[in-house]
Amino acid sequence: MKNRIKTKMIKILSGTRETRVTVQVADTQRKREKGLMFVGKLPGNEGMLFVFSEKNIWWLLDEKHINSFIYCFS
């Protein structure tokens, strides 16, 4: 299925602390627009990774979750 959300396990390192997070990968415009809008429950240590090819400005619409953001640029 073309627009199915794939998941990845990512590891975040901060000093000596390591946290593993399962993320849904939003790597197309359609997936980024939908985001977590219709997700009722989001377990701890799970989230969404928004992948952009360039810097973008965006906002959250109808978001039901407490959000933490990590911005990464390469």
Side-chain angles (χ1 to χ4, degrees), residues 24 35-43 62-66:
Q24 296 179 30
L36 295 170
M37 197 181 309
F38 300 105
V39 176
K41 273 189 157 183
L42 191 63
D62 296 327
E63 187 62 41
K64 297 176 175 76
H65 306 284
I66 297 172

Side-chain angles (χ1 to χ4, degrees), residues 33-50:
E33 287 173 359
K34 183 177 176 186
L36 295 170
M37 197 181 309
F38 300 105
V39 176
K41 273 189 157 183
L42 191 63
N45 286 6
E46 289 194 16
M48 180 165 274
L49 177 65
F50 292 87

Side-chain angles (χ1 to χ4, degrees), residues 1-69:
M1 187 171 181
K2 185 178 179 181
N3 288 313
R4 184 180 172 145
I5 298 283
K6 57 188 165 195
T7 60
K8 296 282 183 180
M9 173 71 73
I10 62 173
K11 183 170 41 173
I12 301 169
L13 301 172
S14 177
T16 59
R17 185 174 175 196
E18 176 182 307
T19 303
R20 293 180 186 267
V21 180
T22 301
V23 295
Q24 296 179 30
V25 181
D27 55 0
T28 66
Q29 184 66 27
R30 183 177 177 145
K31 291 174 189 175
R32 289 188 294 265
E33 287 173 359
K34 183 177 176 186
L36 295 170
M37 197 181 309
F38 300 105
V39 176
K41 273 189 157 183
L42 191 63
N45 286 6
E46 289 194 16
M48 180 165 274
L49 177 65
F50 292 87
V51 180
F52 294 96
S53 59
E54 56 190 48
K55 290 184 182 178
N56 281 273
I57 297 172
W58 51 284
W59 66 93
L60 302 175
L61 178 65
D62 296 327
E63 187 62 41
K64 297 176 175 76
H65 306 284
I66 297 172
N67 298 296
S68 295
F69 295 93

